[in-house]
Amino acid sequence: MKTTNTLLAMAILASSSAVFAAETMTFEALDVDGNGSISKEEATAEASVLTKFDELDVDGNGELSQEEFAHAE
């Protein structure tokens, strides 16, 4: 029983860490192709950025620059 509780606690901790990591993704982590901007497709990896994408894309070019991304944080 003690082993089961320990394993359950470890699983919960691991899943909560994954959620925290997803909510704090950096510009570099989202810029998968390394071209210096985040496309809408790349933004799908971070829900909080994706939901604000059109608002953050001030110049309307369909990509987020580092400057535009900084306003998401």
Side-chain angles (χ1 to χ4, degrees), residues 30-64:
L30 289 172
D31 182 19
V32 177
D33 62 9
N35 71 345
S37 63
I38 299 170
S39 67
K40 204 165 207 174
E41 184 177 320
E42 290 170 320
T44 61
E46 178 57 60
S48 63
V49 175
L50 183 60
T51 58
K52 294 177 167 182
F53 191 92
D54 293 330
E55 176 185 333
L56 295 170
D57 183 18
V58 176
D59 62 9
N61 70 348
E63 298 181 329
L64 299 180

Side-chain angles (χ1 to χ4, degrees), residues 7-29:
L7 291 173
L8 181 59
M10 290 174 65
I12 291 169
L13 179 60
S15 65
S16 66
S17 295
V19 169
F20 178 75
E23 292 177 358
T24 58
M25 290 186 77
T26 64
F27 181 88
E28 292 77 16

